[in-house]
Amino acid sequence: MKIEIIKGDITKIHADAIVNAANSSLLGGGGVDGAIHRAGGPKILEECRAIRNRQGKCKTGEAVMTTAGNLPAKYVIHTVGPVWNDDKEKGSKLLSDCYKHCLKLAEDLKVKIIAFPNISTGIYKFPKELAGEIAVNEVRKFQSDIIEKVIFVCFDEENEEIYKKLLKPFKHQ
């Protein structure tokens, strides 16, 4: 699986699936979540409401899928990252679960290219270095014959530099 880093806006990424750092309500919010809902249009919200009616809120670490509305992707995989509360062990496990569930769902959907934002590092205050380590580790250990490329879409330079540093040892593999 190829791994790429892009600094930019995840709503503009051409991929089979983009990941939304959602909140448990699935009804939109700030940051990446709000941007995806705004750019994707009302279809995403309509599908999120249907999911909520079927299963209730989305639990932290879990993932659900909608179509991508007006976005240049086929699917949006919504995952609820943990809010940082200084419990490194619990937070790390929940964030790991986000990546595992997203990748598994992407594989089930036959996704070849998936794009991830920096889950939980915005308003949820998860330490960026630790979040980056978890993201890279989970993607690197996920074995897939279907997913060909993972794109880490970094909103800011700080995250971009963290991911570049984390992926540097694997550059020539």
Side-chain angles (χ1 to χ4, degrees), residues 131-144:
E133 286 173 25
I134 291 166
V136 169
N137 288 341
E138 289 305 327
V139 165
R140 289 198 42 78
K141 71 182 176 190
F142 191 83
Q143 299 297 310
S144 178

Side-chain angles (χ1 to χ4, degrees), residues 141-166:
K141 71 182 176 190
F142 191 83
Q143 299 297 310
S144 178
D145 294 327
I146 297 166
I147 301 170
E148 295 171 3
K149 180 161 63 168
V150 173
I151 305 168
F152 288 116
V153 183
C154 301
F155 186 71
D156 60 23
E157 246 172 71
E158 183 183 6
N159 274 309
E160 182 186 28
E161 290 307 312
I162 289 168
Y163 279 77
K164 281 181 179 176
K165 188 172 78 182
L166 290 167

Side-chain angles (χ1 to χ4, degrees), residues 24-27 44-58 64 66:
S24 62
S25 77
L26 297 175
L27 302 180
I44 295 172
L45 182 58
E46 183 183 312
E47 290 180 43
C48 283
R49 280 195 178 112
I51 291 167
R52 281 220 18 195
N53 291 342
R54 205 169 47 245
Q55 73 171 42
K57 290 183 174 187
C58 188
V64 295
T66 64

Side-chain angles (χ1 to χ4, degrees), residues 78-129:
H78 306 264
T79 191
V80 181
V83 175
W84 182 254
N85 65 0
D86 292 325
D87 185 341
K88 184 178 177 182
E89 189 176 332
K90 184 179 179 190
S92 295
K93 185 197 177 311
L94 288 168
L95 190 56
S96 292
D97 287 347
C98 288
Y99 286 94
K100 287 178 201 165
H101 288 124
C102 287
L103 290 164
K104 176 72 177 95
L105 188 52
E107 202 172 51
D108 293 346
L109 293 166
K110 307 285 187 252
V111 162
K112 291 185 183 314
I113 302 170
I114 182 171
F116 283 96
N118 307 118
I119 300 169
S120 283
T121 62
I123 196 157
Y124 285 6
K125 305 273 189 248
F126 207 96
K128 291 179 181 185
E129 291 268 352

